[in-house]
Amino acid sequence: EVTVGSDTKTDQIISATQYIENASNVAIKVGAEVTGTAAGNLTFATASTQGSRAPTTNSVFMYFEMDVADKTDGTADPTWATAYDSKSTKQILVSTKATKKADMLTLAAGTGTAAAATGGNAAFHLAGDAASTPTTAWAAADKADVAIAFTFTPTATPTATP
């Protein structure tokens, strides 16, 4: 059990929240492509490894999640989902196959030098779980790396000033 902000989580995999700040004077749509790399005996699972049908392999269930945030200091993070939802526009399952979602969210236009006070930032993290009792014990060589590539698309053209 881990406390993240004021929330208590039982997920086994929780990464530190990272942020994207839109200081431009144009609102932008943000998309992401997520690709996992497995090393050692690790494999990526397509569903939680916890529960009555827990796998006996060295499986990791992991997903990327992103949402709009008003600040980048951890005081106004979004309320993260309590579980993975394949239909969510804000989550991507991590696997060895690159998975892309366009227009996951829109960040409000900033001032040109700072993000908008409301909706000008995005927060993202990884969450999930791992098999608790695989047949082959977990080893230091069992590793998961995740590459995240973002796509930024302007939603309007700024007005040029003379």
Side-chain angles (χ1 to χ4, degrees):
E1 195 169 275
V2 175
T3 301
V4 179
S6 61
D7 294 333
T8 299
K9 302 286 187 181
T10 56
D11 294 358
Q12 295 172 323
I13 299 170
I14 303 171
S15 71
T17 300
Q18 302 291 314
Y19 301 93
I20 298 169
E21 181 178 338
N22 179 23
S24 74
N25 61 353
V26 177
I28 58 171
K29 292 181 181 180
V30 182
E33 180 177 273
V34 177
T35 309
T37 302
N41 291 324
L42 185 138
T43 60
F44 289 104
T46 57
S48 176
T49 63
Q50 306 303 295
S52 61
R53 302 191 74 165
T56 57
T57 58
N58 298 63
S59 299
V60 170
F61 170 69
M62 192 183 316
Y63 61 93
F64 166 85
E65 184 172 22
M66 179 169 60
D67 206 346
V68 173
D70 291 336
K71 296 181 180 180
T72 61
D73 62 3
T75 62
D77 284 353
T79 300
W80 300 115
T82 57
Y84 174 69
D85 177 359
S86 63
K87 295 177 184 170
S88 172
T89 59
K90 298 178 181 180
Q91 297 177 339
I92 300 174
L93 183 66
V94 176
S95 72
T96 55
K97 178 183 175 190
T99 305
K100 185 175 186 176
K101 281 193 180 179
D103 305 337
M104 293 178 74
L105 52 83
T106 300
L107 298 180
T111 65
T113 57
T118 302
N121 305 293
F124 63 92
H125 73 160
L126 297 170
D129 54 57
S132 301
T133 54
T135 303
T136 303
W138 287 103
D142 301 331
K143 297 179 182 180
D145 287 320
V146 180
I148 304 166
F150 295 98
T151 304
F152 303 100
T153 307
T155 61
T157 304
T159 304
T161 53

PDB file of all heavy atoms in Angstrom, residues 12-37:
ATOM      1  N   GLN A  12       1.087  -2.131  -7.596  1.00  0.00           N
ATOM      2  CA  GLN A  12       2.489  -2.436  -7.349  1.00  0.00           C
ATOM      3  C   GLN A  12       3.411  -1.550  -8.168  1.00  0.00           C
ATOM      4  O   GLN A  12       4.570  -1.399  -7.833  1.00  0.00           O
ATOM      5  CB  GLN A  12       2.766  -3.907  -7.678  1.00  0.00           C
ATOM      6  CG  GLN A  12       2.043  -4.862  -6.774  1.00  0.00           C
ATOM      7  CD  GLN A  12       2.201  -6.283  -7.259  1.00  0.00           C
ATOM      8  OE1 GLN A  12       2.213  -6.543  -8.449  1.00  0.00           O
ATOM      9  NE2 GLN A  12       2.327  -7.206  -6.331  1.00  0.00           N
ATOM     10  N   ILE A  13       2.907  -1.005  -9.262  1.00  0.00           N
ATOM     11  CA  ILE A  13       3.724  -0.159 -10.130  1.00  0.00           C
ATOM     12  C   ILE A  13       3.096   1.228 -10.163  1.00  0.00           C
ATOM     13  O   ILE A  13       1.965   1.396 -10.606  1.00  0.00           O
ATOM     14  CB  ILE A  13       3.792  -0.726 -11.565  1.00  0.00           C
ATOM     15  CG1 ILE A  13       4.437  -2.111 -11.548  1.00  0.00           C
ATOM     16  CG2 ILE A  13       4.541   0.236 -12.487  1.00  0.00           C
ATOM     17  CD1 ILE A  13       4.345  -2.847 -12.850  1.00  0.00           C
ATOM     18  N   ILE A  14       3.833   2.180  -9.647  1.00  0.00           N
ATOM     19  CA  ILE A  14       3.382   3.566  -9.687  1.00  0.00           C
ATOM     20  C   ILE A  14       4.621   4.404  -9.952  1.00  0.00           C
ATOM     21  O   ILE A  14       5.559   4.392  -9.150  1.00  0.00           O
ATOM     22  CB  ILE A  14       2.749   4.028  -8.361  1.00  0.00           C
ATOM     23  CG1 ILE A  14       1.584   3.130  -7.959  1.00  0.00           C
ATOM     24  CG2 ILE A  14       2.288   5.481  -8.471  1.00  0.00           C
ATOM     25  CD1 ILE A  14       1.062   3.404  -6.565  1.00  0.00           C
ATOM     26  N   SER A  15       4.650   5.109 -11.071  1.00  0.00           N
ATOM     27  CA  SER A  15       5.803   5.962 -11.347  1.00  0.00           C
ATOM     28  C   SER A  15       5.524   7.362 -10.816  1.00  0.00           C
ATOM     29  O   SER A  15       4.378   7.739 -10.581  1.00  0.00           O
ATOM     30  CB  SER A  15       6.076   6.016 -12.846  1.00  0.00           C
ATOM     31  OG  SER A  15       5.074   6.756 -13.502  1.00  0.00           O
ATOM     32  N   ALA A  16       6.569   8.115 -10.652  1.00  0.00           N
ATOM     33  CA  ALA A  16       6.410   9.511 -10.256  1.00  0.00           C
ATOM     34  C   ALA A  16       5.665  10.246 -11.370  1.00  0.00           C
ATOM     35  O   ALA A  16       5.868   9.972 -12.547  1.00  0.00           O
ATOM     36  CB  ALA A  16       7.776  10.146 -10.027  1.00  0.00           C
ATOM     37  N   THR A  17       4.806  11.160 -10.987  1.00  0.00           N
ATOM     38  CA  THR A  17       4.073  11.951 -11.972  1.00  0.00           C
ATOM     39  C   THR A  17       5.036  12.921 -12.656  1.00  0.00           C
ATOM     40  O   THR A  17       5.862  13.554 -12.004  1.00  0.00           O
ATOM     41  CB  THR A  17       2.929  12.727 -11.295  1.00  0.00           C
ATOM     42  OG1 THR A  17       2.045  11.782 -10.673  1.00  0.00           O
ATOM     43  CG2 THR A  17       2.149  13.557 -12.296  1.00  0.00           C
ATOM     44  N   GLN A  18       4.929  12.990 -13.969  1.00  0.00           N
ATOM     45  CA  GLN A  18       5.715  13.916 -14.783  1.00  0.00           C
ATOM     46  C   GLN A  18       4.743  14.895 -15.442  1.00  0.00           C
ATOM     47  O   GLN A  18       3.550  14.627 -15.516  1.00  0.00           O
ATOM     48  CB  GLN A  18       6.492  13.147 -15.858  1.00  0.00           C
ATOM     49  CG  GLN A  18       7.431  12.100 -15.309  1.00  0.00           C
ATOM     50  CD  GLN A  18       8.602  12.719 -14.587  1.00  0.00           C
ATOM     51  OE1 GLN A  18       9.228  13.654 -15.071  1.00  0.00           O
ATOM     52  NE2 GLN A  18       8.900  12.199 -13.404  1.00  0.00           N
ATOM     53  N   TYR A  19       5.259  16.006 -15.958  1.00  0.00           N
ATOM     54  CA  TYR A  19       4.380  17.059 -16.475  1.00  0.00           C
ATOM     55  C   TYR A  19       4.823  17.578 -17.840  1.00  0.00           C
ATOM     56  O   TYR A  19       6.006  17.575 -18.166  1.00  0.00           O
ATOM     57  CB  TYR A  19       4.350  18.244 -15.502  1.00  0.00           C
ATOM     58  CG  TYR A  19       3.876  17.848 -14.129  1.00  0.00           C
ATOM     59  CD1 TYR A  19       4.783  17.494 -13.143  1.00  0.00           C
ATOM     60  CD2 TYR A  19       2.520  17.800 -13.822  1.00  0.00           C
ATOM     61  CE1 TYR A  19       4.365  17.111 -11.879  1.00  0.00           C
ATOM     62  CE2 TYR A  19       2.084  17.422 -12.564  1.00  0.00           C
ATOM     63  CZ  TYR A  19       3.007  17.076 -11.603  1.00  0.00           C
ATOM     64  OH  TYR A  19       2.581  16.682 -10.356  1.00  0.00           O
ATOM     65  N   ILE A  20       3.835  18.058 -18.580  1.00  0.00           N
ATOM     66  CA  ILE A  20       4.042  18.785 -19.827  1.00  0.00           C
ATOM     67  C   ILE A  20       3.399  20.148 -19.604  1.00  0.00           C
ATOM     68  O   ILE A  20       2.263  20.233 -19.125  1.00  0.00           O
ATOM     69  CB  ILE A  20       3.356  18.086 -21.019  1.00  0.00           C
ATOM     70  CG1 ILE A  20       3.948  16.698 -21.241  1.00  0.00           C
ATOM     71  CG2 ILE A  20       3.454  18.948 -22.281  1.00  0.00           C
ATOM     72  CD1 ILE A  20       3.150  15.844 -22.217  1.00  0.00           C
ATOM     73  N   GLU A  21       4.100  21.209 -19.968  1.00  0.00           N
ATOM     74  CA  GLU A  21       3.578  22.564 -19.786  1.00  0.00           C
ATOM     75  C   GLU A  21       3.428  23.230 -21.146  1.00  0.00           C
ATOM     76  O   GLU A  21       4.360  23.240 -21.942  1.00  0.00           O
ATOM     77  CB  GLU A  21       4.549  23.367 -18.918  1.00  0.00           C
ATOM     78  CG  GLU A  21       4.096  24.774 -18.637  1.00  0.00           C
ATOM     79  CD  GLU A  21       5.074  25.505 -17.726  1.00  0.00           C
ATOM     80  OE1 GLU A  21       5.835  24.858 -16.997  1.00  0.00           O
ATOM     81  OE2 GLU A  21       5.078  26.752 -17.773  1.00  0.00           O
ATOM     82  N   ASN A  22       2.252  23.779 -21.413  1.00  0.00           N
ATOM     83  CA  ASN A  22       2.024  24.505 -22.662  1.00  0.00           C
ATOM     84  C   ASN A  22       2.093  26.004 -22.386  1.00  0.00           C
ATOM     85  O   ASN A  22       1.123  26.615 -21.961  1.00  0.00           O
ATOM     86  CB  ASN A  22       0.657  24.164 -23.271  1.00  0.00           C
ATOM     87  CG  ASN A  22       0.403  24.942 -24.554  1.00  0.00           C
ATOM     88  OD1 ASN A  22       1.347  25.384 -25.203  1.00  0.00           O
ATOM     89  ND2 ASN A  22      -0.852  25.123 -24.914  1.00  0.00           N
ATOM     90  N   ALA A  23       3.252  26.592 -22.633  1.00  0.00           N
ATOM     91  CA  ALA A  23       3.420  28.027 -22.437  1.00  0.00           C
ATOM     92  C   ALA A  23       3.151  28.799 -23.729  1.00  0.00           C
ATOM     93  O   ALA A  23       3.176  30.023 -23.729  1.00  0.00           O
ATOM     94  CB  ALA A  23       4.825  28.336 -21.922  1.00  0.00           C
ATOM     95  N   SER A  24       2.881  28.077 -24.813  1.00  0.00           N
ATOM     96  CA  SER A  24       2.640  28.763 -26.092  1.00  0.00           C
ATOM     97  C   SER A  24       1.296  29.487 -26.051  1.00  0.00           C
ATOM     98  O   SER A  24       0.453  29.217 -25.207  1.00  0.00           O
ATOM     99  CB  SER A  24       2.645  27.762 -27.250  1.00  0.00           C
ATOM    100  OG  SER A  24       1.464  26.985 -27.239  1.00  0.00           O
ATOM    101  N   ASN A  25       1.109  30.395 -26.995  1.00  0.00           N
ATOM    102  CA  ASN A  25      -0.151  31.142 -27.040  1.00  0.00           C
ATOM    103  C   ASN A  25      -1.197  30.435 -27.906  1.00  0.00           C
ATOM    104  O   ASN A  25      -2.142  31.055 -28.377  1.00  0.00           O
ATOM    105  CB  ASN A  25       0.094  32.583 -27.520  1.00  0.00           C
ATOM    106  CG  ASN A  25       0.675  32.631 -28.927  1.00  0.00           C
ATOM    107  OD1 ASN A  25       1.014  31.592 -29.498  1.00  0.00           O
ATOM    108  ND2 ASN A  25       0.794  33.832 -29.477  1.00  0.00           N
ATOM    109  N   VAL A  26      -1.028  29.139 -28.101  1.00  0.00           N
ATOM    110  CA  VAL A  26      -1.945  28.327 -28.907  1.00  0.00           C
ATOM    111  C   VAL A  26      -2.335  27.090 -28.098  1.00  0.00           C
ATOM    112  O   VAL A  26      -1.480  26.444 -27.499  1.00  0.00           O
ATOM    113  CB  VAL A  26      -1.251  27.879 -30.226  1.00  0.00           C
ATOM    114  CG1 VAL A  26      -2.148  26.973 -31.042  1.00  0.00           C
ATOM    115  CG2 VAL A  26      -0.805  29.083 -31.030  1.00  0.00           C
ATOM    116  N   ALA A  27      -3.608  26.775 -28.091  1.00  0.00           N
ATOM    117  CA  ALA A  27      -4.041  25.524 -27.458  1.00  0.00           C
ATOM    118  C   ALA A  27      -3.481  24.365 -28.282  1.00  0.00           C
ATOM    119  O   ALA A  27      -3.387  24.459 -29.509  1.00  0.00           O
ATOM    120  CB  ALA A  27      -5.564  25.456 -27.404  1.00  0.00           C
ATOM    121  N   ILE A  28      -3.079  23.288 -27.601  1.00  0.00           N
ATOM    122  CA  ILE A  28      -2.524  22.149 -28.328  1.00  0.00           C
ATOM    123  C   ILE A  28      -3.191  20.847 -27.899  1.00  0.00           C
ATOM    124  O   ILE A  28      -3.538  20.660 -26.743  1.00  0.00           O
ATOM    125  CB  ILE A  28      -0.988  22.018 -28.152  1.00  0.00           C
ATOM    126  CG1 ILE A  28      -0.605  21.889 -26.680  1.00  0.00           C
ATOM    127  CG2 ILE A  28      -0.262  23.161 -28.803  1.00  0.00           C
ATOM    128  CD1 ILE A  28       0.848  21.542 -26.449  1.00  0.00           C
ATOM    129  N   LYS A  29      -3.363  19.980 -28.894  1.00  0.00           N
ATOM    130  CA  LYS A  29      -3.835  18.631 -28.628  1.00  0.00           C
ATOM    131  C   LYS A  29      -2.597  17.771 -28.397  1.00  0.00           C
ATOM    132  O   LYS A  29      -1.603  17.924 -29.099  1.00  0.00           O
ATOM    133  CB  LYS A  29      -4.640  18.082 -29.805  1.00  0.00           C
ATOM    134  CG  LYS A  29      -5.968  18.799 -29.999  1.00  0.00           C
ATOM    135  CD  LYS A  29      -6.735  18.205 -31.151  1.00  0.00           C
ATOM    136  CE  LYS A  29      -8.041  18.957 -31.341  1.00  0.00           C
ATOM    137  NZ  LYS A  29      -8.819  18.407 -32.446  1.00  0.00           N
ATOM    138  N   VAL A  30      -2.671  16.876 -27.416  1.00  0.00           N
ATOM    139  CA  VAL A  30      -1.530  16.033 -27.082  1.00  0.00           C
ATOM    140  C   VAL A  30      -1.912  14.571 -27.292  1.00  0.00           C
ATOM    141  O   VAL A  30      -2.954  14.118 -26.814  1.00  0.00           O
ATOM    142  CB  VAL A  30      -1.078  16.242 -25.624  1.00  0.00           C
ATOM    143  CG1 VAL A  30       0.156  15.392 -25.315  1.00  0.00           C
ATOM    144  CG2 VAL A  30      -0.801  17.709 -25.350  1.00  0.00           C
ATOM    145  N   GLY A  31      -1.070  13.867 -28.016  1.00  0.00           N
ATOM    146  CA  GLY A  31      -1.220  12.425 -28.206  1.00  0.00           C
ATOM    147  C   GLY A  31       0.048  11.744 -27.724  1.00  0.00           C
ATOM    148  O   GLY A  31       1.044  12.403 -27.429  1.00  0.00           O
ATOM    149  N   ALA A  32       0.008  10.427 -27.621  1.00  0.00           N
ATOM    150  CA  ALA A  32       1.189   9.702 -27.164  1.00  0.00           C
ATOM    151  C   ALA A  32       1.284   8.347 -27.843  1.00  0.00           C
ATOM    152  O   ALA A  32       0.265   7.752 -28.212  1.00  0.00           O
ATOM    153  CB  ALA A  32       1.158   9.527 -25.651  1.00  0.00           C
ATOM    154  N   GLU A  33       2.518   7.888 -27.991  1.00  0.00           N
ATOM    155  CA  GLU A  33       2.799   6.535 -28.463  1.00  0.00           C
ATOM    156  C   GLU A  33       3.673   5.880 -27.399  1.00  0.00           C
ATOM    157  O   GLU A  33       4.679   6.447 -26.979  1.00  0.00           O
ATOM    158  CB  GLU A  33       3.531   6.554 -29.803  1.00  0.00           C
ATOM    159  CG  GLU A  33       3.835   5.159 -30.328  1.00  0.00           C
ATOM    160  CD  GLU A  33       4.489   5.193 -31.696  1.00  0.00           C
ATOM    161  OE1 GLU A  33       3.756   5.226 -32.695  1.00  0.00           O
ATOM    162  OE2 GLU A  33       5.731   5.193 -31.737  1.00  0.00           O
ATOM    163  N   VAL A  34       3.264   4.701 -26.953  1.00  0.00           N
ATOM    164  CA  VAL A  34       3.939   4.017 -25.856  1.00  0.00           C
ATOM    165  C   VAL A  34       4.437   2.661 -26.341  1.00  0.00           C
ATOM    166  O   VAL A  34       3.685   1.895 -26.948  1.00  0.00           O
ATOM    167  CB  VAL A  34       2.969   3.841 -24.664  1.00  0.00           C
ATOM    168  CG1 VAL A  34       3.623   3.073 -23.537  1.00  0.00           C
ATOM    169  CG2 VAL A  34       2.464   5.196 -24.180  1.00  0.00           C
ATOM    170  N   THR A  35       5.718   2.372 -26.061  1.00  0.00           N
ATOM    171  CA  THR A  35       6.315   1.090 -26.444  1.00  0.00           C
ATOM    172  C   THR A  35       7.107   0.540 -25.267  1.00  0.00           C
ATOM    173  O   THR A  35       7.949   1.239 -24.707  1.00  0.00           O
ATOM    174  CB  THR A  35       7.277   1.268 -27.639  1.00  0.00           C
ATOM    175  OG1 THR A  35       6.622   1.982 -28.679  1.00  0.00           O
ATOM    176  CG2 THR A  35       7.744  -0.087 -28.161  1.00  0.00           C
ATOM    177  N   GLY A  36       6.830  -0.708 -24.913  1.00  0.00           N
ATOM    178  CA  GLY A  36       7.558  -1.357 -23.835  1.00  0.00           C
ATOM    179  C   GLY A  36       8.641  -2.258 -24.378  1.00  0.00           C
ATOM    180  O   GLY A  36       8.510  -2.830 -25.464  1.00  0.00           O
ATOM    181  N   THR A  37       9.723  -2.393 -23.628  1.00  0.00           N
ATOM    182  CA  THR A  37      10.795  -3.323 -23.944  1.00  0.00           C
ATOM    183  C   THR A  37      10.990  -4.218 -22.730  1.00  0.00           C
ATOM    184  O   THR A  37      11.167  -3.713 -21.615  1.00  0.00           O
ATOM    185  CB  THR A  37      12.107  -2.575 -24.261  1.00  0.00           C
ATOM    186  OG1 THR A  37      11.874  -1.681 -25.345  1.00  0.00           O
ATOM    187  CG2 THR A  37      13.219  -3.544 -24.629  1.00  0.00           C
TER     188      THR A  37
END
